Amino acid sequence: MSQKPAVKPFLEVLCGRRQTVPPVWMMRQAGRYLPEYRELRAKAGGFLDLCFTPEYAAEVTLQPIRRFNFDAAIIFSDILVIPYALGRSVRFEAGEGPRLDPLDTPEQVATLARHADFGKLEPVYEALRRVRRELASDIALIGFCGAPWTVATYMVAGQGTPDQAPARMMAYRHPEAFAEIIDVLVENSIQYLLGQLKAGADCLQIFDTWAGVLPPREFERWSIEPVKRIVAGVRAQAPDAKIIGFPRGAGALLPAYVEATGVNAVSIDWAAEPSMIRERVQTRVAVQGNLDPLVLIAGGAALDRAVDDVLANYAQGRLIFNLGHGIQPETPIAHVEQMLKRVRDYKG
């Protein structure tokens, strides 16, 4: 007799089935708060060397699973691998973040390659295959990309800025040129995500970290529409693909995002208003979030209260417990354990 495949609680939620105890993972769970990560990061040399050495990327992906037994692993990579595969210079300066050659005039946009060299991303696919082989059968594997708007903000400015003003300005002054960048990112992100599914990812997340800086009209044009096209493009070839959107800071625009994009779940930041999310978002899709990463650093009674608030607000519906953004490097490991115990002791 053949064995029934193991149930993955994380995927169950994405398929529309609420779990009594919400599945849990953390954005940036493979990262600097773990001593074993810091050790491997030092051994690898540069950040991109860590991403593009399959043995290292797979090991880093698995480290938090071994330590905490999260319900999902997310492949260790970066949202800027698409610009890299498009032939742009991408560097990571220690303590400074990413540096790219700015793409801030229509003349420079004309030099942008239209098709990525996916051979450059083969190490990501190989890392996915390695993790898939080692991961327990009840733990889901997440692939991801950056949303076109967010990736474009780094490509235009050449780095992160406090409010991504260079990309916003370019989108106002040169909307046709900016739309070209977005179009290239949409098409190549579709192919990249399909490659991740083929390599063993169970589902996908699209990170739109800078969605919250856009006014409503621009949010629709530059955040919603490109993600909608990516979701449709992936599903044209993988009809059952499960996709999570994360338009960070979208606030009251979240219901429109959910309705238009067709995502299966939406990740919410810690400032999301609970009754609006319950009534206008969670009735349509699963919700992922939304513990404040700072309260995870604080720990103690404040952390218990904050975990209980997330559960009280959302655990009666479809919930994947997560943070409202990535875990901070200075987070004590004991506080992650405290959070996990609190979630897993939940009697829903």
Side-chain angles (χ1 to χ4, degrees):
M1 262 174 69
S2 62
Q3 284 186 315
K4 277 169 58 172
V7 171
K8 294 181 169 73
F10 175 89
L11 287 184
E12 288 290 295
V13 174
L14 294 184
C15 291
R17 294 181 281 274
R18 174 188 173 268
Q19 301 298 287
T20 311
V21 177
V24 55
W25 68 284
M26 297 189 305
M27 287 183 268
R28 294 202 193 125
Q29 65 189 22
R32 288 174 290 174
Y33 72 107
L34 292 175
E36 56 267 41
Y37 170 87
R38 295 194 296 272
E39 190 179 313
L40 193 57
R41 171 81 171 77
K43 183 179 171 185
F47 178 76
L48 282 177
D49 297 314
L50 190 58
C51 290
F52 288 135
T53 306
E55 176 190 349
Y56 291 166
E59 171 60 22
V60 168
T61 302
L62 290 162
Q63 284 173 349
I65 304 301
R66 292 196 196 107
R67 193 183 268 272
F68 302 114
N69 198 34
F70 287 121
D71 293 288
I74 185 165
I75 194 64
F76 183 78
S77 186
D78 193 81
I79 65 169
L80 296 179
V81 297
I82 290 283
Y84 172 80
L86 286 164
R88 308 304 299 177
S89 169
V90 179
R91 323 175 281 289
F92 284 83
E93 309 284 346
E96 300 276 319
R99 292 287 184 272
L100 298 85
D101 294 338
L103 203 64
D104 53 4
T105 66
E107 293 73 28
Q108 285 174 326
V109 173
T111 70
L112 178 63
R114 293 302 181 258
H115 302 287
D117 174 2
F118 285 98
K120 288 185 170 181
L121 301 182
E122 176 55 34
V124 180
Y125 301 144
E126 175 57 24
L128 277 157
R129 290 189 287 267
R130 286 173 178 243
V131 173
R132 177 80 281 157
R133 287 196 295 268
E134 292 201 35
L135 211 52
S137 57
D138 60 341
I139 296 174
L141 177 55
I142 307 168
F144 73 91
C145 74
W149 162 252
T150 286
V151 176
T153 64
Y154 291 100
M155 292 176 75
V156 169
Q159 62 186 59
T161 65
D163 56 2
Q164 303 302 64
R168 292 160 64 195
M169 192 68 80
M170 187 179 186
Y172 287 132
R173 283 181 172 159
H174 306 293
E176 294 84 5
F178 191 75
E180 280 186 52
I181 303 175
I182 295 291
D183 290 346
V184 168
L185 291 172
V186 166
E187 292 308 317
N188 288 285
S189 297
I190 290 168
Q191 296 311 312
Y192 179 45
L193 292 175
L194 285 165
Q196 291 184 66
L197 289 173
K198 193 174 173 186
D202 291 306
C203 67
L204 305 165
Q205 179 153 318
I206 302 173
F207 287 87
D208 211 351
T209 312
W210 288 100
V213 300
L214 291 167
R217 181 193 295 270
E218 281 66 35
F219 180 81
E220 183 175 355
R221 180 170 187 184
W222 303 124
S223 180
I224 288 180
E225 283 304 313
V227 171
K228 178 182 178 180
R229 287 163 59 197
I230 290 175
V231 171
V234 169
R235 294 221 179 108
Q237 295 185 56
D240 296 328
K242 298 292 178 275
I243 303 174
I244 304 165
F246 182 28
R248 184 184 173 208
L253 301 173
L254 262 174
Y257 175 97
V258 165
E259 185 165 352
T261 58
V263 293
N264 302 93
V266 70
S267 215
I268 55 174
D269 60 69
W270 60 89
E273 202 287 303
S275 62
M276 188 270 282
I277 298 295
R278 283 196 303 270
E279 291 160 20
R280 300 182 56 204
V281 175
Q282 203 177 20
T283 49
R284 307 178 67 99
V285 297
V287 164
Q288 177 176 276
N290 68 330
L291 192 76
D292 184 348
L294 290 188
V295 83
L296 194 57
I297 297 173
L303 175 56
D304 284 345
R305 278 195 303 272
V307 169
D308 290 350
D309 280 347
V310 174
L311 294 170
N313 284 326
Y314 307 117
Q316 289 307 304
R318 285 177 288 152
L319 172 67
I320 295 164
F321 194 98
N322 204 315
L323 308 183
H325 196 225
I327 184 171
Q328 296 291 316
E330 60 271 32
T331 305
I333 286 168
H335 295 181
V336 177
E337 293 167 343
Q338 178 186 343
M339 174 197 78
L340 274 172
K341 184 174 187 322
R342 196 89 179 170
V343 175
R344 288 178 168 159
D345 285 348
Y346 177 69
K347 302 289 191 287

